Amino acid sequence: MTILIMGNVTLFAKLLPFPAVTIISGRALFSVILLGLFFLLRGKSVSYRSFKDFLFVFGIGILFALHWVTYFHSIQVSTVAVGMLSLFTYPVFSALIEPLLGGKRPDPFAFFLACFSFFGLFLIVPDLSWNNQMFQGVVWGVVSAVLYAIRNLLTKEMHVHYPSAQILFTQLIATTLVLLPFADGLFVMLAEPKYLLFQVVLAGIFTSLAHTIWIRSLSNLSVTTAGTLSTLSPIYGSLAAWYFLGEVPPERLWLGGGVILFCAILEVFRKKAESENTAVLWVNEK
């Protein structure tokens, strides 16, 4: 269910005719209000054990803001399908970065998957020129993917100590404070009833609910595995854009997207095999 929700969030990048920074500012602001009311009504605490922990989560929120803005901008300059497929190289980046955070060397096979994923991106882009909007979309999507991978890995570290809703709430506060000064046209957007409704739905269902569940899933799965399991999102998102926005993906996009999603699926099976081997070794040692 969460995969389906997060797969269709990209439609708002096209439905709201405003810059990405403005859309994300409104999204974050309303999400802070909704989650704040949730904490208030439930009488839950949002305090941290130390100011250092708060600053760490707040800093992750700044990465989250940059990820959201680059992701929506990628979609706006290209298409929903291009933006989503570019973003979904992040499981491969997670596979490269996750071992480094644990003081280990990345698996050489992760480098192979990264190269193969970039080959898939190459298939999507008809012209490797900044004047080509598809190329711009891919570049911004990859930047967003790297930021998202880092954000998820760092968030997982803090989820051991704090609830998912509290972590998301702090990250959204950071996102709001960082982006609001640059949110050109925010009040114009919120003054229009249709766009206001879009923002409330975007904040309530597609942000507060979906991302709280997503962060909670990180406590039970590796970030890489959780990412690969969500590879259905580009399919849902592309089909939704096709139906609602009339964005018909070209044949080369399906080919490149197939390569990218193949890498993601391959990674989840690889991780599963590693987990099973680790479990067998642990049992034998006992």
Side-chain angles (χ1 to χ4, degrees):
M1 182 62 180
T2 307
I3 294 172
L4 180 60
I5 292 174
M6 296 180 73
N8 291 326
V9 69
T10 50
L11 296 177
F12 291 93
K14 295 285 190 175
L15 293 173
L16 290 163
F18 296 90
V21 173
T22 304
I23 297 173
I24 299 305
S25 296
R27 177 185 188 181
L29 178 61
F30 277 101
S31 298
V32 167
I33 294 172
L34 291 172
L35 279 175
L37 289 173
F38 168 78
F39 283 119
L40 184 63
L41 293 174
R42 296 290 297 272
K44 290 183 174 292
S45 172
V46 292
S47 62
Y48 285 84
R49 297 184 303 178
S50 68
F51 187 63
K52 180 181 178 181
D53 283 357
F54 168 77
L55 287 179
F56 187 76
V57 178
F58 190 90
I60 300 173
I62 296 175
L63 291 177
F64 198 25
L66 296 174
H67 149 67
W68 264 351
V69 170
T70 51
Y71 184 30
F72 269 48
H73 184 67
S74 169
I75 292 168
Q76 289 180 333
V77 299
S78 57
T79 66
V80 168
V82 168
M84 293 195 73
L85 288 171
S86 301
L87 173 69
F88 271 80
T89 56
Y90 83 85
V92 178
F93 285 117
S94 295
L96 291 172
I97 300 171
E98 190 171 17
L100 294 175
L101 294 179
K104 302 177 182 178
R105 296 176 60 183
D107 191 324
F109 191 68
F111 286 102
F112 166 74
L113 288 181
C115 294
F116 202 40
S117 293
F118 277 109
F119 172 68
L121 291 173
F122 174 79
L123 292 176
I124 291 176
V125 181
D127 181 20
L128 298 178
S129 168
W130 193 252
N131 294 324
N132 184 278
Q133 289 188 303
M134 293 299 177
F135 179 69
Q136 290 184 36
V138 166
V139 171
W140 286 114
V142 170
V143 170
S144 182
V146 174
L147 292 169
Y148 195 45
I150 297 173
R151 177 258 179 178
N152 284 346
L153 291 166
L154 296 178
T155 296
K156 183 180 180 180
E157 291 184 17
M158 297 307 296
H159 190 256
V160 177
H161 308 290
Y162 301 102
S164 54
Q166 179 179 341
I167 293 174
L168 179 62
F169 183 61
T170 306
Q171 292 179 355
L172 288 169
I173 290 175
T175 298
T176 303
L177 294 177
V178 168
L179 297 182
L180 273 181
F182 309 99
D184 184 34
L186 178 62
F187 293 107
V188 175
M189 179 175 63
L190 300 183
E192 175 64 42
K194 179 176 69 173
Y195 298 147
L196 177 61
L197 176 61
F198 284 166
Q199 279 289 356
V200 172
V201 173
L202 177 60
I205 298 176
F206 291 89
T207 304
S208 300
L209 175 62
H211 279 272
T212 298
I213 297 174
W214 174 248
I215 292 175
R216 185 174 298 172
S217 73
L218 297 181
S219 63
N220 301 317
L221 301 170
S222 76
V223 175
T224 303
T225 303
T228 51
L229 289 175
S230 66
T231 51
L232 289 176
S233 293
I235 299 175
Y236 287 126
S238 298
L239 292 176
W242 193 345
Y243 182 80
F244 290 106
L245 304 175
E247 291 186 353
V248 182
E251 292 183 3
R252 65 184 300 131
L253 191 140
W254 291 116
L255 179 61
V259 171
I260 294 170
L261 297 183
F262 172 76
C263 290
I265 294 170
L266 193 62
E267 175 61 22
V268 75
F269 280 103
R270 188 177 73 91
K271 276 291 181 181
K272 181 180 179 182
E274 285 183 0
S275 299
E276 290 176 349
N277 290 335
T278 301
V280 170
L281 289 173
W282 184 81
V283 171
N284 290 336
E285 288 177 357
K286 290 291 185 180

